[in-house]
Amino acid sequence: MFTAEDIISIHTTKEFHKTAMKIFRYQFEHNEVYQKYCLLLQKDPSNVRHLTEIPFLPIEFFKSKEILSSIEPIQETFTSSGTTGLATSKHHVTDLSFYEYSFRNGFSKFYGNIEDYTVLALLPSYLERDGSSLIYMVNDLIEGSNHPDSGFYLNDYEALTKKLIELDSDGQNVLLIGVTYALFDLIELQKFELKNTIVMETGGMKGKRKEMIREELHQILSEGFGVPKIHSEYGMTELLSQAYSLGDGIFECPPWMDILIRDTEDPLTILEDEKTGGINVIDLANFNSCSFIATQDLGKKYPDYSFEVLGRFDNSDIRGCNLMVLE
């Protein structure tokens, strides 16, 4: 059995591999859905000896199955936003300390002490529903900042504009974290010249605006806020860890998280670095559900373990294991 401290204490590639294999064996034994999936692929701890041989559970299973590796009571159920009329993902969390340790230490690794920031959050589509893991994380960061001006702004762009200009002009370090379409709304109302602010987009137009390629999106946001780089957070309902980009769309993972790139035509084949394919995520903080998830994102990994997110599968692109159904 692992604790959250055990996961967060991982610092080397060797420790990561050793722990990942232990967690694979544990989840195979204790996660009924994951075990059935592995057995369909004729994979089990006796013939899986390397990370690249571990089966990655298609993320769609979180929409129809209870993905749990624990019999402990569920402390929180996080849900995805989803499209109206379609099933949403449900991530049942039996130990919130894994999530809290992960996002607190992950943020600290890339940005330092949260108390050094005023956190302004523009996340309307997430605030307007229950069960958002992003809201849970950002609320904790707001509280951890201990700054009286930290907080959420639902649709009050005027108040946010005034506060952002005031804090930035005063030399306060500001983290403005926002859903992409809302950040666009903000710069259409006001152009900024920010000197002390990190602008972090969490992705997603949520049907409010047309989708754009990252380079175009970041150029518009960068010019609108007057900042040299736009930061990004890569996370999702089904994960308990986040990767961050400090600019140019190049993401890095904390030491307890990694990605592999799978072949889009043969999802059991892991591609070499700098090849485009589906993103598989290893999130060791997901100890109580499933740490090995095949996402619907397309990406590319580099030799230094950084990666890019290049887009998403559409339904016609989903191949092989993603179409398997567990009875």
Side-chain angles (χ1 to χ4, degrees), residues 101-118:
Y101 268 81
S102 181
F103 70 65
R104 289 170 184 167
N105 285 275
F107 181 89
S108 177
K109 179 186 186 308
F110 292 102
Y111 294 100
N113 193 336
I114 186 59
E115 293 185 359
D116 294 336
Y117 297 89
T118 301

Side-chain angles (χ1 to χ4, degrees), residues 236-302:
M236 56 193 71
T237 300
E238 300 84 358
L239 301 178
L240 294 184
S241 299
Q242 303 78 34
Y244 289 99
S245 167
L246 277 60
D248 302 319
I250 304 299
F251 289 89
E252 293 184 46
C253 296
W256 53 91
M257 178 185 183
D258 196 11
I259 71 156
L260 300 176
I261 302 297
R262 70 182 183 273
D263 191 321
T264 56
E265 297 293 334
D266 178 8
L268 299 183
T269 297
I270 302 300
L271 299 177
E272 298 175 354
D273 290 339
E274 301 188 45
K275 301 287 188 182
T276 298
I279 294 178
N280 288 351
V281 177
I282 303 174
D283 178 9
L284 301 185
N286 245 8
F287 178 72
N288 292 309
S289 57
C290 184
S291 291
F292 312 97
I293 296 175
T295 77
Q296 293 178 324
D297 294 326
L298 292 167
K300 183 187 296 185
K301 187 175 181 180
Y302 295 101

Side-chain angles (χ1 to χ4, degrees), residues 1-3 6 26 30 69-72 95 98 287-288:
M1 181 66 70
F2 288 91
T3 66
D6 293 330
Y26 177 86
H30 294 88
S69 298
S70 172
I71 59 172
E72 295 298 317
D95 189 344
F98 280 83
F287 178 72
N288 292 309

Side-chain angles (χ1 to χ4, degrees), residues 168 192-199 214-215 218-231 246-249:
D168 191 85
F192 298 86
E193 289 295 335
L194 302 174
K195 306 297 182 186
N196 301 293
T197 298
I198 293 171
V199 179
R214 176 187 53 77
E215 289 82 2
H218 280 203
Q219 181 180 353
I220 295 171
L221 289 177
S222 180
E223 291 174 356
F225 286 105
V227 295
K229 302 281 187 184
I230 298 297
H231 294 224
L246 277 60
D248 302 319

